[in-house]
Amino acid sequence: VTARAGLAQRRDAAHTAVAAVLQQWERGFAVGVLASVLLAWRGQTHLALQQHMRARARESVELMVMKWELGDDIGLVALLLRCWRDAALEAARERECARRREGARASVDMMLRQWELGALAGLAEAVLREWRLQ
């Protein structure tokens, strides 16, 4: 009976040791994943900061060159107008994309209604709706 008890104790101790090693491995894996995520995040933020700093430096150099070429006041006004033009062009591009998205959405909606109501009935219903709207 004591030999069996000793064997059971050693088996339980082995199971406990294996469970402890598995828990340590799992914690290590979780810490490793967390560390790799944080490292990747730090790399991305560092890259974004570098790009931002390069853009600021480029703008600063452009401003200095324009001031030198055109004089301080005229160079500053020219730079402001160019920045305003770039912002206006970007806004126009965004509006165009939004208009195209809305057109595509309306087209898909009409196709789905046609599919739901049948090709002929859906087409007639869509034509009548568009006629009423205009």
Side-chain angles (χ1 to χ4, degrees), residues 24-94:
Q24 289 175 353
W25 178 78
E26 286 175 349
R27 272 190 247 124
F29 180 73
V31 169
V33 168
L34 178 62
S36 66
V37 166
L38 290 175
L39 184 63
W41 176 71
R42 185 174 50 168
Q44 288 296 324
T45 56
H46 183 68
L47 180 63
L49 179 63
Q50 282 182 339
Q51 289 174 347
H52 177 71
M53 296 298 284
R54 282 188 200 122
R56 295 279 310 257
R58 185 173 44 250
E59 290 172 0
S60 177
V61 169
E62 287 176 4
L63 175 61
M64 288 176 28
V65 168
M66 290 183 85
K67 281 183 173 182
W68 177 74
E69 287 177 343
L70 305 171
D72 285 345
D73 294 337
I74 296 173
L76 185 59
V77 169
L79 180 65
L80 290 175
L81 289 175
R82 191 175 72 199
C83 289
W84 174 79
R85 184 197 70 204
D86 292 345
L89 289 173
E90 181 64 27
R93 275 191 230 105
E94 288 177 9

Side-chain angles (χ1 to χ4, degrees), residues 85-132:
R85 184 197 70 204
D86 292 345
L89 289 173
E90 181 64 27
R93 275 191 230 105
E94 288 177 9
R95 283 192 304 271
E96 179 65 22
C97 284
R99 186 187 65 76
R100 286 184 181 178
R101 250 192 322 271
E102 287 302 317
R105 184 175 290 127
S107 175
V108 168
D109 287 343
M110 185 173 74
M111 287 174 32
L112 287 174
R113 279 193 302 273
Q114 287 177 357
W115 177 74
E116 287 175 347
L117 300 174
L120 293 176
L123 181 58
E125 192 265 346
V127 168
L128 287 174
R129 184 177 319 111
E130 290 296 323
W131 178 69
R132 272 187 261 142

